[in-house]
């Protein structure tokens, strides 16, 4: 009986370890989904408050994670505006501030 319980504990520890390694891999390669969502919300606030756009003016905001970047600028994304559907704009988030890789125009009235 003692041998069976040792094997069961070992198997449980092995499964927990493999699950932890898999989650660490997922987090490292694909990023934290909550932070990706936060980057989308930060750029939406930026577009509304700084550039004068409304929700109806934005076609897509897609947050992304880049594991190759430095630790404070791994999150960013791409956005497409309804007035220019053929053009996409890339952005990064650093210290909760938007960094425009392509100049995002202000809303034209």
């Amino acid at each position: 009986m003692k041998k069976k319980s040792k094997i069961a504990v070992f198997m449980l520890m092995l499964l927990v370890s493999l699950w932890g390694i898999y989650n660490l891999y997922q987090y490292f390669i694909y990023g934290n989904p909550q932070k990706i969502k936060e980057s989308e919300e930060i750029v939406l606030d930026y577009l509304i408050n700084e550039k004068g756009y409304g929700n109806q003016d934005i076609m897509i905001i897609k947050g992304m994670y880049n594991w190759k970047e430095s630790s404070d600028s791994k999150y960013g994304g791409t956005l497409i505006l309804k007035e220019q559907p053929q053009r996409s704009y890339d952005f990064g988030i650093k210290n909760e501030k938007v960094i425009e890789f392509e100049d995002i125009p202000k809303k034209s009235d």
Side-chain angles (χ1 to χ4, degrees):
M1 187 65 124
K2 195 172 186 178
K3 187 176 182 179
K4 286 184 181 180
S5 60
K6 284 183 180 181
I7 291 172
V9 168
F10 175 76
M11 292 300 289
L12 182 63
M13 288 175 51
L14 181 64
L15 286 173
V16 169
S17 297
L18 289 174
W19 180 76
I21 290 169
Y22 175 75
N23 282 331
L24 182 63
Y25 166 77
Q26 288 286 94
Y27 182 80
F28 179 73
I29 298 296
Y30 299 109
N32 182 341
Q34 183 177 358
K35 286 196 170 206
I36 293 171
K37 183 70 176 163
E38 286 174 14
S39 71
E40 293 172 356
E41 292 169 359
I42 289 169
V43 82
L44 178 61
D45 289 342
Y46 175 78
L47 290 171
I48 291 171
N49 297 325
E50 301 292 325
K51 297 291 185 172
Y53 289 98
N55 285 336
Q56 70 279 4
D57 300 319
I58 302 163
M59 186 179 291
I60 297 171
I61 298 176
K62 178 69 176 154
M64 294 181 216
Y65 173 80
N66 186 349
W67 62 274
K68 296 178 184 178
E69 292 291 330
S70 64
S71 63
D72 62 345
S73 59
K74 289 185 180 286
Y75 294 91
T78 300
L79 70 99
I80 299 175
L81 302 171
K82 285 187 179 175
E83 64 185 30
Q84 297 177 332
Q86 72 285 357
R87 175 94 164 85
S88 65
Y89 299 95
D90 293 329
F91 63 90
I93 303 294
K94 186 170 186 173
N95 299 325
E96 306 220 0
K97 302 281 186 211
V98 175
I99 300 167
E100 298 178 27
F101 297 135
E102 286 94 15
D103 188 35
I104 302 169
K106 286 192 179 258
K107 169 101 169 124
S108 57
D109 293 326

